[in-house]
Amino acid sequence: MADLDIYEFYKSQGTDIYNDAADFVGTNGCYYYQGKGNTENKHKHLQGQTLVLAPHEGFIPSELWLKCRKKLLASHTYQPARKAWNTWTAGLVPAAGA
């Protein structure tokens, strides 16, 4: 549900917004596009991306969506645990009841 809070959030992040601020009344959803020449991750780097109001009604309240979006931008990703390749215990499973 794209309202003025959504507009201001994306505007503050440097996103190119196709529609005027007056169009963000809280009823429509919105589409978020990555530019063709942009190689940055669109989930973390919002500058140079494009936001457009969708023709359909939105169904997620803007307060909830913004809370989740800000949490995603603040989170750090860590490398997942690596599988051990050079140890004699790699791949062994203890036998139950043996």
Side-chain angles (χ1 to χ4, degrees):
M1 301 173 141
D3 60 6
L4 197 55
D5 292 335
I6 298 286
Y7 177 86
E8 291 186 6
F9 170 76
Y10 275 107
K11 195 63 155 175
S12 71
Q13 298 292 319
T15 303
D16 299 326
I17 302 176
Y18 183 77
N19 301 85
D20 293 330
D23 296 336
F24 286 78
V25 294
T27 56
N28 292 54
C30 55
Y31 295 128
Y32 182 63
Y33 296 103
Q34 181 174 359
K36 290 185 178 184
N38 198 340
T39 59
E40 297 288 336
N41 182 354
K42 78 174 189 176
H43 300 294
K44 292 283 185 181
H45 304 282
L46 306 179
Q47 192 170 8
Q49 313 296 348
T50 304
L51 183 75
V52 178
L53 280 178
H56 64 272
E57 285 189 28
F59 53 90
I60 300 173
S62 65
E63 299 87 24
L64 176 63
W65 191 90
L66 283 171
K67 182 178 177 182
C68 294
R69 182 66 177 168
K70 289 176 182 177
K71 187 174 183 178
L72 174 69
L73 288 174
S75 72
H76 300 284
T77 56
Y78 298 100
Q79 184 175 12
R82 292 186 177 189
K83 185 175 178 183
W85 291 99
N86 57 355
T87 179
W88 66 275
T89 60
L92 294 180
V93 177

